[in-house]
Amino acid sequence: MVRSGKERQAAEALIAQGADVLSQNTDSPAVVQAAERHGVHAFGWDSDMSKYGPNAQLTANTENWADYYIDEVRKVMARTWTGGRRTANGIKENMVVLAPLNKSVPVDVARLFEEKKRAIIDGNLVPFAGPIKDNGGATKLGSGSALTHEQLMAINWYVDGVDGSIPK
C-alpha cells in the first residue's frame, strides 16, 4: 500500500501537538503507521489496518458491500432493478463491520462497546438523536428526533464541544 506523505505529516503534526488518538478518512495506512511509531492510538477507516499498527489501531470501521451488491445483481437478473437506490445500511444490516478491538482495550470498555453495538442493532440506541447543538450553541436537532440519512450527509457544522469552524 502506498504511504501518503501528506497524511503522515498531518498525523505527525497532530501527535506533536499532543493528540493521543487519531482518525482519518483516507483509506491509507499512513495515519495508523504514524500512531504505531509514536505509541498513540488510531482508528482504521474502510479497512482493518491493524497489520500496519497492531498496537495503535483500536478498531476500524469497515464496510461489507457484498449483500447489497448481490441483492442489486439479483434484481438486474430478474429485470426488476430500477437503479438510483441509495443505501443507508449500517451495523444492523452487516454493511458496517467493526474490526476486532485492540487487545489493549480494557475489558469493561470492550463490554460497553459490545453493549452499545447491540443496542444500535436492536434499535434501542440511535447515535444521532437529539438534542444536538452545534459548537456555537444553536440547536440543530431537538429532543425526541433523529437526523435522517439526508441530514447526516449534509452536515456542515461542528457539534458542541468541537473547537474550530468550517473552512469557507
Side-chain angles (χ1 to χ4, degrees), residues 6-167:
K6 288 183 180 181
E7 294 157 16
R8 186 186 69 257
Q9 289 171 356
E12 300 273 349
L14 288 168
I15 293 166
Q17 294 172 28
D20 57 359
V21 179
L22 304 174
S23 185
Q24 44 75 35
N25 189 2
T26 60
D27 297 334
S28 159
V31 172
V32 173
Q33 288 170 326
E36 181 78 11
R37 198 167 34 258
H38 291 280
V40 301
H41 289 108
F43 290 92
W45 190 261
D46 289 342
S47 63
D48 183 349
M49 297 189 188
S50 59
K51 68 181 179 181
Y52 300 103
N55 299 304
Q57 180 180 285
L58 294 173
T59 187
N61 176 51
T62 69
E63 296 171 344
N64 169 24
W65 284 88
D67 296 338
Y68 172 83
Y69 285 131
I70 289 168
D71 185 49
E72 293 297 292
V73 168
R74 283 186 177 141
K75 289 176 188 173
V76 168
M77 293 170 65
R79 299 186 187 278
T80 60
W81 185 72
T82 57
R85 177 179 164 208
R86 290 193 58 153
T87 182
N89 293 348
I91 293 173
K92 180 178 182 176
E93 298 81 11
N94 196 43
M95 180 172 265
V96 173
V97 180
L98 299 169
L101 290 176
N102 188 296
K103 63 186 179 298
S104 69
V105 173
V107 173
D108 59 333
V109 174
R111 188 177 309 115
L112 180 62
F113 175 85
E114 292 302 327
E115 287 173 10
K116 296 300 182 184
K117 187 166 69 170
R118 173 54 46 202
I120 291 170
I121 292 168
D122 293 342
N124 297 321
L125 173 62
V126 178
F128 298 99
I132 300 175
K133 292 185 177 187
D134 69 13
N135 64 351
T139 298
K140 291 298 199 174
L141 185 69
S143 291
S145 53
L147 292 174
T148 66
H149 178 72
E150 290 75 23
Q151 289 171 317
L152 282 169
M153 296 297 104
I155 289 175
N156 64 351
W157 43 271
Y158 293 132
V159 296
D160 186 33
V162 174
D163 292 330
S165 59
I166 301 294

